Amino acid sequence: MKKNLLAVAVLCALTSGAALAQQSEGPWMVRARAVHLDSANKDSTPLGLSINNKTIPEVDVSYFFTPNVAAELILTVPQKQRLSAGGADIGSFKHLPPTLLLQYHFNAAGIKPYVGAGLNYTRFSSVKAPPGVDIERNSFGAALQVGVDIPLQKNLYLNFDVKKVFIKTDVSAGGVTLGTFKADPVLVGVGLGWRF
């Protein structure tokens, strides 16, 4: 009985210590990043479609359930992309790609690397394409992530982040599906994070 009480007391002390450590730093983190989008441009249609690469702003909000486990919601404003066929400019569209990730944060010497996996939803809008050509407006896909937070001062971090996001859309002409265009971009970001 005494051994059981001792084990419970030790467990309570450890969990309360972890909770106090998390509370001292705060469970919320907000990051602002500049992110370079590099599209895979995989096209199964006969059109030879591609979109441009570009650098975009990104903001994310994370909540730490424990010192090691967090959920991150990644947001940006609708992004305009140029659409090309065989290297020739044929139009444009906008896309809004919020992404929700579950992360595991490691405690390394002075830095905090993390990995994440989750779900991306992309909404395509303002589609401008040749007459009769259209794309599916919604895409759901997986997202993978690796990154690191480097402490600069109290509650302020330098962040490096790489994500692979799976985004695709069916392409049609005259109501007939021609194939699938996969953007599947790699996003490489750098920014600052605030923990509170």
Side-chain angles (χ1 to χ4, degrees), residues 90-109:
I90 62 167
S92 65
F93 60 83
K94 290 184 178 179
H95 63 94
L96 183 63
T99 304
L100 183 62
L101 297 150
L102 185 65
Q103 301 172 326
Y104 187 84
H105 293 252
F106 301 89
N107 291 319

Side-chain angles (χ1 to χ4, degrees), residues 113-148:
Y114 58 87
V115 294
L119 180 67
N120 166 265
Y121 166 70
T122 297
R123 172 69 182 171
F124 299 98
S125 63
S126 302
V127 177
K128 296 178 181 176
V133 176
D134 202 2
I135 62 173
E136 172 64 34
R137 296 298 194 267
N138 300 296
S139 170
F140 291 91
L144 303 172
Q145 177 188 47
V146 61
V148 62

Side-chain angles (χ1 to χ4, degrees), residues 43-49 85 90 130-136 169-181:
D43 183 26
S44 68
T45 78
L47 302 176
L49 297 175
I90 62 167
V133 176
D134 202 2
I135 62 173
E136 172 64 34
T169 181
D170 289 334
V171 182
S172 61
V176 177
T177 300
L178 299 177
T180 302
F181 175 71

Side-chain angles (χ1 to χ4, degrees), residues 1 7 11 26 29 35 46 78 117-118 128 133 140 142 148 162 171 196:
M1 181 68 173
L11 181 61
M29 189 169 198
V35 175
K128 296 178 181 176
V133 176
F140 291 91
V148 62
V162 179
V171 182
F196 58 94

